[in-house]
Amino acid sequence: MRIKDNALVARLKDLGVELRPGVALSEKTSLGIGGTTDQLLLHRYESIPGVMRLLADNDIPHRFLGGGTNVLIGDGELSWVALHLPPAHPGVRIEGNLAFADASADLGGTVTYCAKHDLGGMEGLIGVPGTVGGALRMNAGAYGMQIGSYVREVELYRASKGNVETIRGDDIRFDYRHTSFAPDDVMLQVKLELPSKPYKQILASIRVCNEKRRSSQPLNQKSAGCIFKNPPGGSAGRMVDELALKGFSVGDARVSERHANFFVNAGHATCADMLSLIAQVRERVHAAYGVELENEVILWTQ
Ligand code: EPU
């Protein structure tokens, strides 16, 4: 989608928004898939309510793209613009056992920063790519932990009310790869309470997690992590593997040879290729096991 109205372009500029026309989102996602649209970089947190109201008043559909590591975006010209929060380096502040992290902070960087301040608990998340905001929204987890366990407060922009709110951790439901945030809530900052642990000890756990991940996941290939959620009591990866679907492809979209719940872009895969691969694998699993696998990857294909 292209923003062509000069008056709107000028108002966005006044709000400190940098408009980058016609950006290929395939360059902004870990899958290397995604069509073209205008990209709006919000350089100031304070401008978010104003920008959101302006876009709503002008009927401009929009989506916040974080790290782009767990999303499958449609091909061609997209019908919405992509918003990005101001980058945060490191985007984390520590006070005792509390860590205040910006939504746009890198998740791995945040885990490491906390570790250096002798705060642990999140070691399992070390290899999970993406931003803190994305991890929060999805309740990212790995190796027996999930980020939701440590959340004490979230500051967010609540689109339904048009203002910034602070929500207590106890008032948010964190389930397996799912949270009670509204789809149009925009994560801004999170307050985490983390257990004290010596840096060396955290580092040792981080190394173990990294090693496990390296040995079981295709980290050097373009992917969005696991495609399907694990069904209750089961493993999507094991089921796909048992059906001998590793290497099964549609175009350049391929079931990883290393981990069957990772679907990789082995070249120039399109979103259509990936959707077709997902549908075919889901169908085969359903036929064999009677289980309807749910997507873990977020689809922005409409
Ligand atoms: N397995 C196979 N073949 C495969 C892959 C896995 O037989 O190709 C078997 C493994 O041997 C193991 C079982 O399936 O017995 C589970 O596999 P694994 O330990 O790799 O974990 P997973 O359940 O497939 C989950 C998360 C990952 C997370 C790991 C580590 C989901 C959907 N996936 O994978 O998260 O990194 O545990 O904690 O919950 C993600 O969210 O994108 C993601 C990759």
Side-chain angles (χ1 to χ4, degrees):
M1 170 174 209
R2 304 304 163 95
I3 298 182
K4 293 194 184 114
D5 177 347
N6 286 336
L8 178 54
V9 171
R11 302 230 359 236
L12 285 168
K13 200 171 173 198
D14 289 345
L15 286 163
V17 177
E18 181 184 340
L19 175 63
R20 293 189 178 166
V23 172
L25 294 191
S26 53
E27 287 163 18
K28 309 284 171 197
T29 63
S30 56
L31 260 175
I33 293 176
T36 304
T37 191
D38 281 357
Q39 189 186 18
L40 274 63
L41 307 179
L42 280 60
H43 287 297
R44 297 201 301 261
Y45 271 98
E46 316 77 74
S47 69
I48 290 172
V51 174
M52 302 303 278
R53 270 193 294 275
L54 190 59
L55 295 176
D57 291 349
N58 285 274
D59 293 323
I60 307 281
H62 49 269
R63 286 173 178 175
F64 271 91
L65 183 62
T69 55
N70 194 39
V71 65
L72 174 59
I73 295 180
D75 301 314
E77 184 69 30
L78 303 168
S79 58
W80 42 271
V81 297
L83 307 186
H84 293 258
L85 288 177
H89 302 293
V92 198
R93 182 168 55 84
I94 307 284
E95 273 177 33
N97 282 69
L98 301 176
F100 298 81
D102 288 346
S104 60
D106 175 68
L107 181 64
T110 301
V111 174
T112 313
Y113 189 87
C114 293
K116 285 182 180 155
H117 289 79
D118 298 315
L119 295 180
M122 298 201 293
E123 294 87 334
L125 290 178
I126 189 66
V128 177
T131 61
V132 167
L136 199 55
R137 168 166 284 290
M138 285 295 292
N139 189 22
Y143 304 112
M145 61 78 53
Q146 53 182 26
I147 192 168
S149 318
Y150 301 105
V151 173
R152 294 297 165 261
E153 256 174 31
V154 174
E155 187 186 71
L156 50 78
Y157 173 77
R158 185 137 274 181
S160 57
K161 294 191 185 156
N163 54 26
V164 172
E165 290 185 6
T166 301
I167 316 283
R168 283 171 359 111
D170 288 345
D171 295 330
I172 305 164
R173 240 196 22 255
F174 289 101
D175 299 324
Y176 168 58
R177 300 293 199 274
H178 187 266
T179 57
S180 54
F181 295 117
D184 54 1
D185 283 345
V186 182
M187 307 294 119
L188 298 178
Q189 201 191 55
V190 61
K191 175 160 112 182
L192 302 161
E193 187 178 354
L194 301 168
S196 298
K197 251 192 206 180
Y199 179 48
K200 272 194 174 166
Q201 204 177 317
I202 302 174
L203 210 56
S205 314
I206 282 177
R207 288 211 176 104
V208 171
C209 291
N210 271 338
E211 192 37 53
K212 278 191 196 160
R213 213 178 273 282
R214 259 198 298 274
S215 64
S216 64
Q217 300 182 357
L219 302 185
N220 56 357
Q221 284 186 286
K222 292 180 185 170
S223 85
C226 285
I227 285 289
F228 300 114
K229 291 183 184 179
N230 284 332
S235 160
R238 186 181 303 137
M239 288 193 280
V240 178
D241 192 355
E242 280 172 1
L243 294 172
L245 290 173
K246 281 183 169 173
F248 178 54
S249 315
V250 174
D252 278 337
R254 181 169 306 160
V255 177
S256 160
E257 301 279 358
R258 179 162 280 217
H259 193 301
N261 198 12
F262 279 63
F263 293 8
V264 301
N265 174 1
H268 300 283
T270 62
C271 178
D273 294 334
M274 196 53 83
L275 285 175
S276 170
L277 183 65
I278 292 171
Q280 291 188 49
V281 172
R282 177 183 284 118
E283 179 51 41
R284 300 273 285 268
V285 168
H286 186 251
Y289 298 93
V291 171
E292 191 73 42
L293 291 177
E294 257 185 67
N295 289 339
E296 200 271 345
V297 67
I298 307 286
L299 300 188
W300 282 356
T301 50
Q302 306 291 334

